[in-house]
């Protein structure tokens, strides 16, 4: 059974720092991995989608890497800003014939202070 | 692209009443998912559809919950009768194999049962 873990659970940093959020999964047979952002009281916004054949994806100040063999993904946030404060969730889609669902981690709650 | 549209945004109802949540997926997406989010349990998959057919409803908590997808552009999640423990945020999401199975979430319905 696939399990997804995110470390740390919470992070508080001053503005301007470069950050790394970690996501690990137990079964390397994944179809893709997706990073989401959730603001308090809001829905989930997709940030980056990495297919199993890819090693990384970039969008602006965000870079996500994927290492299937070690069961890890990292989300790198460059030059953090207070507007980056949110909960970040990673989720994997198993490469399975009988399921199409995403399995979510518990999230990292990020606070960036001025 | 209007994204995934959910209604209502907020719902407050009395215990025992019927509640119906609605979702319009992104046009062309053939997968639709219903999730529930609480502080205690995080994101839970309730049910998902492929081409309007329910594929996995193992996450539906009990018979009080039912979901339908009468056509490709509309789905409902019904709770009858509602109970206070059903209070949560309910999210709908859609995806497509032609978009790499990336999920797009709606803004959610915050349900409060008093």
């Amino acid at each position: 059974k696939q399990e997804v873990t995110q470390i740390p659970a919470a992070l508080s940093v001053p503005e301007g720092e470069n950050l790394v959020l970690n996501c690990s999964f137990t079964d390397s047979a994944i179809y893709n991995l997706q990073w989401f952002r959730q603001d308090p009281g809001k829905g989930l916004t997709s940030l980056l989608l990495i297919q199993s054949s890819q090693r990384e994806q970039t969008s602006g100040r965000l870079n996500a890497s994927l290492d299937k063999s070690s069961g890890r993904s990292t989300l790198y946030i460059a030059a953090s800003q207070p507007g980056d404060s949110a909960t970040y969730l990673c989720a994997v889609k198993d490469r399975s014939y009988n399921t199409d669902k995403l399995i979510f981690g518990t999230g990292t709650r990020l606070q960036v202070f001025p | 692209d209007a994204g995934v549209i959910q209604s209502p945004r907020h719902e407050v109802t009395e215990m025992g009443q019927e509640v119906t949540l609605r979702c319009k997926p992104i046009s062309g997406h053939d997968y639709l998912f219903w999730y529930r989010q609480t502080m205690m349990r995080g994101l839970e998959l309730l049910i998902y559809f492929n081409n309007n057919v329910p594929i996995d409803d193992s996450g539906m908590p009990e018979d009080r919950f039912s979901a339908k997808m009468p056509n490709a552009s509309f789905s409902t999640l019904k709770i009858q009768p509602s109970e206070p423990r059903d209070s949560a945020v309910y999210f709908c999401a859609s995806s497509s194999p032609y978009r790499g199975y990336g999920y797009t979430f709606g803004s959610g319905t915050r349900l409060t049962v008093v």
Side-chain angles (χ1 to χ4, degrees), chain A residues 9 27 33 46 51 54 66 71 112:
Chain A
D27 187 342
L33 183 144
S46 178
Q51 302 298 333
Q54 298 174 322
L66 175 63
V112 181

Side-chain angles (χ1 to χ4, degrees), chain A residues 57-82:
Chain A
Q57 284 284 338
T58 298
S59 177
R61 294 183 295 108
L62 304 180
N63 175 276
S65 66
L66 175 63
D67 184 345
K68 283 196 310 177
S69 61
S70 66
R72 293 179 60 187
S73 175
T74 60
L75 179 65
Y76 177 83
I77 303 176
S80 59
Q81 302 171 356

Side-chain angles (χ1 to χ4, degrees), chain B residues 20-40:
Chain B
T20 299
L21 311 181
R22 297 172 177 80
C23 175
K24 176 180 169 56
I26 290 175
S27 177
H29 281 196
D30 45 11
Y31 285 85
L32 183 139
F33 305 83
W34 282 101
Y35 280 85
R36 177 171 69 177
Q37 186 178 41
T38 61
M39 289 292 292
M40 292 295 293

Side-chain angles (χ1 to χ4, degrees), chain B residues 25 77 85 88 107:
Chain B
L77 178 67
R85 59 191 168 124
S107 299

Side-chain angles (χ1 to χ4, degrees), chain B residues 5-18:
Chain B
I5 299 172
Q6 291 188 246
S7 64
R9 290 297 307 275
H10 303 274
E11 178 78 37
V12 180
T13 191
E14 293 185 346
M15 182 174 62
Q17 296 298 306
E18 177 180 295

Side-chain angles (χ1 to χ4, degrees), chain A residues 75-93:
Chain A
L75 179 65
Y76 177 83
I77 303 176
S80 59
Q81 302 171 356
D84 295 329
S85 298
T87 296
Y88 291 80
L89 295 152
C90 72
V92 300
K93 176 175 165 23

